[in-house]
Amino acid sequence: MHKTRIQTNAAAPVLGTYSQGIRASGDIIFLSGQTGRNEDGDMETGIEAQTHRTLANIDAVLNSAGCTRGDIAKVTLLMANIKDYKVIDQIYAAWLPGDTVTPAKPTRTAFQVPALPAGALLMIEVTAISPT
């Protein structure tokens, strides 16, 4: 299997020894968990702002890989508080492309975790299938 690093300055910088994303064997794109940090590394305030920034970061890394949100196959949503699920899901649902753009919504797993890096309230990990 051949792996290529995906990197963009349009999303938050990494906090450790990992890549923003990896293209595996040319077709499968794995994104590291994205949070509500902006390009300068500062965390947005509140669940709504962090959700919007997290999704913008996903867009930026996908774009760097030549993909769009319509190419997403699998999503993992981690939350510091499960009570935020409804707010996150409403923003996420509006962010997803309509069914006319993609044949099906991505699969998704969502759960609460004890803590997330840098005080994040949510983290979203994505796997996409490259259209090229």
Side-chain angles (χ1 to χ4, degrees), residues 23-129:
R23 177 185 297 272
S25 297
D27 294 335
I28 302 174
I29 309 298
F30 298 97
L31 271 62
S32 289
Q34 299 294 311
T35 64
R37 292 184 317 117
N38 63 30
E39 299 93 333
D40 296 326
D42 298 324
M43 187 67 70
E44 299 291 343
T45 303
I47 191 61
E48 290 182 13
Q50 283 193 26
T51 302
H52 285 290
R53 171 52 67 181
T54 299
L55 297 173
N57 288 341
I58 291 168
D59 278 334
V61 179
L62 285 171
N63 183 56
S64 181
C67 294
T68 69
R69 58 186 84 153
D71 300 317
I72 297 172
K74 170 74 171 101
V75 172
T76 302
L77 167 60
L78 311 173
M79 298 164 281
N81 187 340
I82 197 73
K83 292 178 181 178
D84 290 332
Y85 179 82
K86 186 175 181 178
V87 170
I88 295 167
D89 190 56
Q90 288 174 341
I91 295 167
Y92 171 83
W95 174 80
L96 283 175
D99 288 334
T100 59
V101 176
T102 181
K105 290 179 176 46
T107 62
R108 184 172 70 185
T109 302
F111 51 94
Q112 180 175 317
V113 296
L116 292 165
L121 300 174
L122 76 149
M123 177 181 278
I124 299 177
E125 176 186 88
V126 168
T127 301
I129 309 299

